Amino acid sequence: MGYCSFITPLPFIIAELGTSHNGDIAKAKEMVCAAKESGADCVKVQIVKADEILHPNTGTVPLPGGSVRLYDMFKKLEKPIEFYAQIKDFAESKKLEFLATPFGLESAAELKSLQPKIVKAASPELNYVQLLQELGTWNVPALLSSGVSKLSDIETALTFFDTDKIVLLHCITAYPAPEDQYNLLCLRSLSNVFGVQCGISDHSLDPVLVPVLSLACGGTVIEKHFCLSHNDPGLDDKIALDSKDFSTMTRHLHIASTKTEQNIIDELSYEYGREKVLKVLGNGVKKLAKAEEANYMRTNRSIHAVCDIKAGTVFTKENIAILRTEKILTPGIAPIFYESILGKTASCDLSAGQGVLF
């Protein structure tokens, strides 16, 4: 199996800035500088368009000031593509790779205009086959996160890409993710089954255990959320690594990369205990982690009514969409059936946001 050309050096370390810049270009640049100083090889952002991600009725999230509609939080994070172009130019001026995640076809078209060298699809979009099909036409290396996904979901997603241009990132879609459910031996299993490189997108809190142990399982890419402070108001700042912890991670990764797999396991066993390390390694059988089971088909994409739909109404691109179900809505049919549903008629009344079912 050959390595993707962008995987230089090994391991390839990604600082996931996400939306922690809160739409402030000065803060975004500060984060880029801090990520560079902390040892990152790449910085990643998310190109947010709320209507591509979820319905306004999807529910609320608790914040210190009270509950806020999740849709409204995403709406506030929307920025023009010029904002991301500035981040890309600044990151590349610091000798960092720039990586971004689109969440729909509109944000993907905007990202494509920046001529990215690499692209990433997030875990909830692994079953969004229309988006994956578009990204697969770009002919650039792609990272696919596989949290809250089953083996069959991964198999379908990979059909849209050349295997020599893919890195599959093992992930648990839980915030924070429990280390002892990571089942890192899945990296070897997935690599052997699909013939692709593997790495991790890690939401656990420890800066060393999961990232370093992933190297012993053949991982070549490590992605971790990055923040300037855990007290910042970003959606992911509470589970991100600050500069100090990110530096600790990168230092341990570089040291471990010079050692054998068994040496890595032995040294981590001495520090964390053999039982703990064995739990993190798991059995290598790919299945949903307990921490993310309840999120399956809620965090993933399905087909939802955009507005109230009366029985007998024809389904069109204007009244149904492929969205994350998230908090309180009912999941719908998988995105792979979207085109076959268009032109059909509703057999019953649907309320705005409700999942469309056969």
Side-chain angles (χ1 to χ4, degrees):
M1 173 187 352
Y3 288 124
C4 293
S5 59
F6 74 91
I7 303 296
T8 308
L10 291 175
F12 189 71
I13 303 171
I14 302 170
E16 162 67 300
L17 311 187
T19 58
S20 293
H21 49 70
N22 287 315
D24 183 337
I25 192 62
K27 183 174 183 181
K29 290 181 177 181
E30 183 182 2
M31 294 183 75
V32 169
C33 290
K36 174 69 174 180
E37 292 173 3
S38 300
D41 302 304
C42 174
V43 290
K44 176 182 166 296
V45 295
Q46 301 172 10
I47 302 182
V48 172
K49 292 186 181 297
D51 289 320
E52 286 188 325
I53 302 173
L54 39 73
H55 192 274
N57 296 344
T58 196
T60 63
V61 289
L63 293 177
S67 293
V68 177
R69 285 204 313 175
L70 185 57
Y71 174 88
D72 292 340
M73 292 192 67
F74 278 115
K75 199 69 179 173
K76 290 178 181 177
L77 292 167
E78 291 183 356
K79 300 295 290 184
I81 195 60
E82 291 77 17
F83 176 84
Y84 302 103
Q86 289 185 67
I87 298 176
K88 180 176 183 288
D89 291 344
F90 188 74
E92 291 175 347
S93 75
K94 299 296 180 182
K95 308 301 182 185
L96 289 169
E97 292 282 2
F98 171 83
L99 179 62
T101 300
F103 295 109
L105 297 178
E106 184 180 351
S107 55
E110 291 187 357
L111 174 59
K112 188 178 182 181
S113 72
L114 300 184
Q115 297 182 314
K117 298 176 184 177
I118 52 179
V119 68
K120 185 190 173 195
S123 293
E125 282 66 59
L126 195 72
N127 73 333
Y128 190 175
V129 293
Q130 292 81 358
L131 176 61
L132 299 183
Q133 185 174 33
E134 167 60 25
L135 299 181
T137 67
W138 293 8
N139 199 33
V140 300
L143 288 86
L144 303 181
S145 275
S146 60
V148 76
S149 298
K150 298 180 180 180
L151 200 61
S152 58
D153 300 319
I154 298 172
E155 183 178 23
T156 299
L158 289 175
T159 63
F160 298 102
F161 301 89
D162 295 330
T163 55
D164 62 347
K165 292 184 178 179
I166 280 291
V167 178
L168 185 63
L169 300 183
H170 180 54
C171 177
I172 295 178
T173 304
Y175 305 88
E179 289 94 350
D180 59 5
Q181 293 184 28
Y182 247 92
N183 195 10
L184 286 178
L185 287 176
C186 274
L187 273 70
R188 289 180 183 169
S189 302
L190 293 170
S191 183
N192 290 334
V193 168
F194 295 118
V196 297
Q197 284 186 80
C198 288
I200 57 162
S201 179
D202 180 24
H203 300 139
S204 67
L205 298 178
D206 191 291
V208 174
L209 181 56
V210 171
V212 172
L213 196 55
S214 74
L215 296 187
C217 300
T220 58
V221 177
I222 292 91
E223 179 188 65
K224 271 276 200 181
H225 278 279
F226 181 84
C227 69
L228 297 178
S229 169
H230 296 299
N231 296 321
D232 286 351
L235 277 172
D236 301 307
D237 289 338
K238 293 294 185 292
I239 57 97
L241 299 184
D242 60 18
S243 295
K244 180 181 177 181
D245 283 342
F246 202 92
S247 295
T248 297
M249 180 186 74
T250 58
R251 183 174 68 254
H252 279 80
L253 283 169
H254 290 142
I255 293 171
S257 68
T258 66
K259 299 181 178 180
T260 66
E261 295 176 2
Q262 192 58 53
N263 281 343
I264 294 172
I265 292 172
D266 289 343
E267 290 180 10
L268 289 174
S269 296
Y270 179 79
E271 182 175 353
Y272 291 90
R274 187 76 175 177
E275 184 178 356
K276 175 76 169 179
V277 168
L278 290 176
K279 283 184 177 179
V280 179
L281 287 172
N283 60 12
V285 177
K286 172 57 183 172
K287 61 180 181 180
L288 296 173
K290 287 185 178 180
E292 64 181 359
E293 284 178 348
N295 292 332
Y296 190 69
M297 290 311 297
R298 299 199 66 80
T299 304
N300 316 71
R301 297 296 184 117
S302 65
I303 302 170
H304 289 258
V306 173
C307 55
D308 290 339
I309 298 176
K310 295 291 186 183
T313 302
V314 174
F315 290 122
T316 68
K317 292 182 179 180
E318 285 68 43
N319 61 19
I320 60 173
I322 299 170
L323 304 170
R324 299 181 187 179
T325 300
E326 289 290 352
K327 304 299 179 182
I328 62 174
L329 298 175
T330 56
I333 301 165
I336 198 168
F337 297 106
Y338 177 75
E339 280 75 18
S340 63
I341 289 173
L342 293 175
K344 303 296 192 300
T345 57
S347 60
C348 62
D349 292 348
L350 294 167
S351 59
Q354 185 177 344
V356 178
L357 297 174
F358 284 120

